[in-house]
Amino acid sequence: FLLLAWLGLNFLRPESRDVLWVAVMAYAGARVTVAVVQALVSPDFPSLRLIQLPGDGPGYTVRWVRRLVAVAAFGYAASVIGGLYNMPDPARQAFIKAVALIDHILLVVIVLQCRRAVAGAIYRAGGEMRWRAAVAARLAGLWHVVAIFFIVGLWLVWAAQVRHGYAQMWRLFVVTAAILIVARLLAVVLLGLLDRLFGIGRDPSGSLHHPQGRAGFYYQLLRRSLTALLWVAALLALVQAWGLRLWTWFHRNALGGQLASAAATILVAGLVCLLVWEASNAALDRNLGRLKQGAQAARAARLHTLMPILRSILLGLLAAIFALTVLSEIGVNVAPLLAGAGILGVAIGFGSQKLVQDFITGIFLLLENTMQVGDNVTLAGLSGTVETLSIRTLRLRAGDGSVHTIPFSSVATVTNSNRGIGNVPVSVTVPPEIDTDHVSDVLAGIARELRAERPFGDMMRSDFQLWGVDRVEPGAVTVVGQIVCTDGGRWAVQREFNRRMAKRFAELDIRLTSPAQTVRTIAAPAPDAANTPATQNPAPEPPPAAQAAPPAPQKPETRP
């Protein structure tokens, strides 16, 4: 429109061109102002609305802005055209003041029409708190009076030609409105990005130990923090715009600069602690989910038991670091605190050395999956089935039913029989005249029969593995081998194999024997009476009880 108007006006006389150009600029300025307001309130497209107004508020705003802008723009254009036609300056000033008065009267009409709607909104904003509700009720009843006084005062200040009064008041009003609009735009953009990042509709009531619950919690926390930060920034900008030189207070050497630096350091420390906390929780949750998916219920239960303790330790450590950072930034000397904490830690370590050793050893044994509940283990000289694992002790159920409670500090070596494989040792000693190849074939046949039957076949991982002749001795030959089984089926397979082996050897007349032992008794030489000195006193006779006692047996010498 402006381009076509400018091209068309070039063909007119200068006097007509000047008059029409003023009218064109007034029309263009009014249209631009109305277009900006329509973009903000968007009466036809609520999803694009940047400033939310209830009911018919957007349409009402556009209609009245169009009237106000039309009166102001064309009234001012009329005064300029009058000046082009030599209109007296006093008459021109009076005409401009009359046009401004019409606009101010229209503003008063708007205030009176919106009195109840705005009062209701102010009253609802007061909430349920008593003092806020009282303030909101008072403001709702008086807001229109204050607004009308402000509007009339503006016109009177300008009409009375108070130096820069009207312009200053309108400048403050426009700057305030601009700051609030920019803050609203930033809030829409940033909160929209936050909604897309977390997903709209997060439930903040979920458990903080669940990822969804933590996401909802942080979503609400970030939303409120971001809103508060925008309000603080807008307030600082308003204070600066109203003439209070606030930015000079935040210079490098000023108190505000020091406070800003301390706040930034505390914020960074808090974010780092928060990231470490969330990364650790995510790693624990991911590991727990992997164990549950892999059907490792015992390990998942153990990790689930350890997670509260690990979280508490990590939370205490991060809280201590953050607290020391805050104290250091606000000027507190933390060196004595660190020294006192070190001395206290050393004292606690010496006083509860055994307890700390139990705790640390138990943590590492559980984390390294050394044993699980239900495993058959041998540790601290005791064997049994693990019944309970805690942080400090474990309980073993022995074969006779007794329960052993063992502190982890007493555990040096753990022998676990439940780790997937249990080998059945086979050792058969037969006389030398028995064919060892035949014995080996019989043993292999028994193993094949067992593997073909259930449930023994499910417990066996291999047939009989012949190692060969292990020992050859006088009167005995030993054949050895093994059968690889599962850890839970080792004993059942071994017992059944031994039963069938004894039965089969009896059927095949294969005799079992043991290594030969030779016992040799060496008697002491008798004393020579001729060589005994005559002066030597004979030994006294033992008492009758000692004579009746049988002679002590001599220890035989055993030789293979």
Side-chain angles (χ1 to χ4, degrees), residues 140-158:
L142 295 176
W143 82 270
H144 63 285
V145 177
V146 177
I148 292 174
F149 176 80
F150 179 76
I151 293 171
V152 174
L154 277 175
W155 186 82
L156 289 176
V157 167
W158 177 68

Side-chain angles (χ1 to χ4, degrees), residues 145-478:
V145 177
V146 177
I148 292 174
F149 176 80
F150 179 76
I151 293 171
V152 174
L154 277 175
W155 186 82
L156 289 176
V157 167
W158 177 68
Q161 295 184 353
V162 177
R163 183 177 180 82
H164 304 302
Y166 188 82
Q168 188 69 16
M169 293 180 68
W170 270 109
R171 188 188 70 83
L172 292 177
F173 175 76
V174 172
V175 170
T176 302
I179 291 174
L180 294 178
I181 291 173
V182 171
R184 176 60 184 171
L185 291 175
L186 289 176
V188 170
V189 173
L190 296 178
L191 294 179
L193 292 176
L194 191 64
D195 290 339
R196 289 182 177 273
L197 178 63
F198 282 88
I200 301 175
R202 291 289 186 185
D203 183 14
S205 61
S207 174
L208 292 181
H209 298 305
H210 195 272
Q212 292 292 338
R214 289 203 302 272
F217 172 76
Y218 287 123
Y219 169 74
Q220 294 294 332
L221 179 63
L222 288 175
R223 189 178 181 87
R224 293 171 183 173
S225 302
L226 188 58
T227 303
L229 183 62
L230 289 175
W231 276 108
V232 170
L235 181 61
L236 294 177
L238 287 175
V239 171
Q240 180 71 19
W242 290 343
L244 297 177
R245 302 301 177 185
L246 192 63
W247 300 120
T248 58
W249 194 62
F250 288 99
H251 284 171
R252 182 183 300 272
N253 297 326
L255 177 62
Q258 297 177 3
L259 291 178
S261 176
T265 303
I266 293 173
L267 180 62
V268 171
L271 290 176
V272 171
C273 292
L274 185 62
L275 290 175
V276 172
W277 170 256
E278 284 302 316
S280 303
N281 280 302
L284 289 175
D285 292 335
R286 185 170 58 252
N287 195 13
L288 183 62
R290 181 176 56 82
L291 293 177
K292 289 181 178 179
Q293 292 178 359
Q296 303 181 29
R299 295 184 64 185
R302 185 175 63 254
L303 181 59
H304 189 72
T305 303
L306 285 174
M307 281 175 64
I309 299 174
L310 297 177
R311 282 196 175 108
S312 300
I313 295 174
L314 180 61
L315 181 61
L317 181 61
L318 294 178
I321 294 175
F322 182 72
L324 290 175
T325 303
V326 173
L327 292 176
S328 176
E329 289 300 322
I330 63 178
V332 177
N333 188 9
V334 297
L337 295 177
L338 294 175
I343 295 174
L344 182 62
V346 171
I348 293 175
F350 278 113
S352 57
Q353 183 178 5
K354 207 67 174 178
L355 180 63
V356 173
Q357 186 178 358
D358 290 340
F359 181 80
I360 295 176
T361 307
I363 287 289
F364 280 101
L365 286 176
L366 293 175
L367 289 178
E368 293 172 358
N369 193 25
T370 306
M371 68 191 80
Q372 299 178 7
V373 175
D375 288 353
N376 293 314
V377 298
T378 300
L379 46 85
L382 299 171
S383 298
T385 303
V386 179
E387 277 197 343
T388 304
L389 287 171
S390 65
I391 297 301
R392 196 183 69 85
T393 61
L394 62 92
R395 282 203 308 232
L396 288 183
R397 177 73 65 175
D400 59 357
S402 59
V403 176
H404 304 292
T405 301
I406 305 171
F408 281 120
S409 59
S410 302
V411 178
T413 303
V414 178
T415 303
N416 196 333
S417 301
N418 295 87
R419 279 298 180 262
I421 296 179
N423 295 331
V424 175
V426 179
S427 178
V428 178
T429 302
V430 296
E433 61 270 12
I434 302 297
D435 186 5
T436 57
D437 295 336
H438 178 56
V439 173
S440 302
D441 294 338
V442 171
L443 296 177
I446 297 173
R448 284 193 298 270
E449 292 176 2
L450 276 178
R451 199 169 190 187
E453 299 179 7
R454 299 191 65 180
F456 302 106
D458 299 333
M459 303 176 186
M460 299 173 61
R461 292 190 172 184
S462 72
D463 293 329
F464 176 71
Q465 297 178 357
L466 178 64
W467 289 352
V469 177
D470 185 59
R471 289 182 300 176
V472 177
E473 301 171 352
V477 177
T478 303

Side-chain angles (χ1 to χ4, degrees), residues 12-97:
L12 301 178
R13 291 181 300 175
E15 296 81 4
S16 301
R17 183 170 62 248
D18 293 339
V19 172
L20 291 177
W21 181 248
V22 171
V24 166
M25 291 302 296
Y27 175 77
R31 287 297 301 271
V32 168
T33 304
V34 173
V36 171
V37 174
Q38 284 180 333
L40 293 175
V41 299
S42 186
D44 297 328
F45 301 98
S47 60
L48 300 179
R49 194 171 296 166
L50 298 178
I51 298 178
Q52 300 294 331
L53 297 175
D56 189 41
Y60 179 85
T61 302
V62 172
R63 289 193 298 271
W64 275 101
V65 167
R66 186 181 289 114
R67 295 167 188 172
L68 292 171
V69 171
V71 171
F74 290 107
Y76 180 76
S79 67
V80 173
I81 293 173
L84 293 177
Y85 284 97
N86 298 322
M87 183 179 180
D89 191 65
R92 181 170 168 270
Q93 293 294 331
F95 180 77
I96 293 176
K97 292 178 181 179

